[in-house]
């Protein structure tokens, strides 16, 4: 598994519903999952963030690619660079056809490894809807501790979990 950056140009093409152009820009073939309403909301949100602060791009969305042929199973990244205390929040989504096959856990472990490699990162946060049983199961056993709750304008109530950045689990 590896990550491929989803550039602003690719996100713009996805907002236009142009999968072939987005795939050309990033060098792998993308599926219809990347042009769903939820995905398009994310691309618009991330593009706005990147326009406000171009340095955020390196922390944003990546495609989750498996295999030698560039098989894309989802997208992942951080909500932005580390804040003033070194916290980064992760986000990931695996396409429905590829769920329950270990890709989410592998993606999460890869994100944790990337966070651990950044000296400025001290804490990794995950905010998950209490109804999202699959994501709650994915973080189980990876050292995350519940630290509170928050209200997200898009997703509603979320339970907040954190883990020290230097605690990198094995696959």
């Amino acid at each position: 598994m590896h990550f491929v950056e989803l550039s602003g140009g690719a996100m713009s093409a996805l907002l236009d519903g142009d999968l072939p152009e987005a795939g050309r820009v990033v060098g792998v073939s993308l599926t219809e999952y990347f042009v769903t309403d939820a995905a398009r909301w994310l691309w618009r949100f991330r593009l706005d963030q990147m326009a406000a602060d171009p340095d955020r791009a390196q922390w944003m969305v990546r495609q989750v690619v498996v295999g030698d042929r560039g098989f894309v199973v989802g997208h992942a990244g951080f909500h932005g660079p580390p804040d003033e205390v070194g916290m980064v929040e992760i986000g990931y989504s695996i396409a429905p056809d590829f769920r329950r096959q270990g890709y989410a856990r592998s993606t999460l472990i890869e994100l944790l490894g990337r966070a651990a490699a950044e000296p400025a990162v001290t804490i990794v946060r995950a905010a998950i809807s209490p109804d999202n049983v699959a994501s709650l199961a994915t973080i189980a056993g990876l050292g995350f501790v519940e630290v509170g709750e928050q209200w997200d304008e898009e997703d509603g109530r979320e339970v907040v979990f954190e883990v020290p950045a230097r605690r990198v689990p094995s696959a």
Side-chain angles (χ1 to χ4, degrees), residues 41 89 127-132 148-160:
W41 177 90
E89 185 172 343
I128 302 170
S129 166
D131 299 330
N132 190 338
E149 291 186 359
Q150 67 184 22
W151 183 262
D152 182 87
E153 291 300 321
E154 183 68 20
D155 299 322
R157 182 173 158 249
E158 295 177 326
V159 181
V160 179

Side-chain angles (χ1 to χ4, degrees), residues 33-136:
Y33 184 64
F34 284 79
V35 292
T36 61
D37 289 342
R40 285 182 171 174
W41 177 90
L42 179 62
W43 311 145
R44 169 59 40 222
F45 184 73
R46 294 296 183 227
L47 282 169
D48 290 346
Q49 286 181 305
M50 290 164 46
D53 182 2
D55 291 337
R56 295 177 75 100
Q58 66 179 331
W59 290 92
M60 298 293 203
V61 183
R62 307 248 186 272
Q63 301 158 111
V64 180
V65 182
V66 296
D68 296 338
R69 298 182 313 181
F71 195 53
V72 180
V73 298
H75 53 82
F78 301 95
H79 290 254
D83 67 11
E84 61 281 348
V85 297
M87 188 275 297
V88 292
E89 185 172 343
I90 57 169
Y92 58 92
S93 183
I94 303 301
D97 290 348
F98 303 106
R99 292 179 183 161
R100 302 191 57 80
Q101 298 177 44
Y103 293 124
R105 183 175 173 81
S106 294
T107 297
L108 180 55
I109 290 169
E110 181 69 19
L111 287 170
L112 290 170
R114 287 177 180 265
E118 293 289 336
V121 177
T122 58
I123 296 287
V124 179
R125 175 176 285 178
I128 302 170
S129 166
D131 299 330
N132 190 338
V133 176
S135 284
L136 293 170

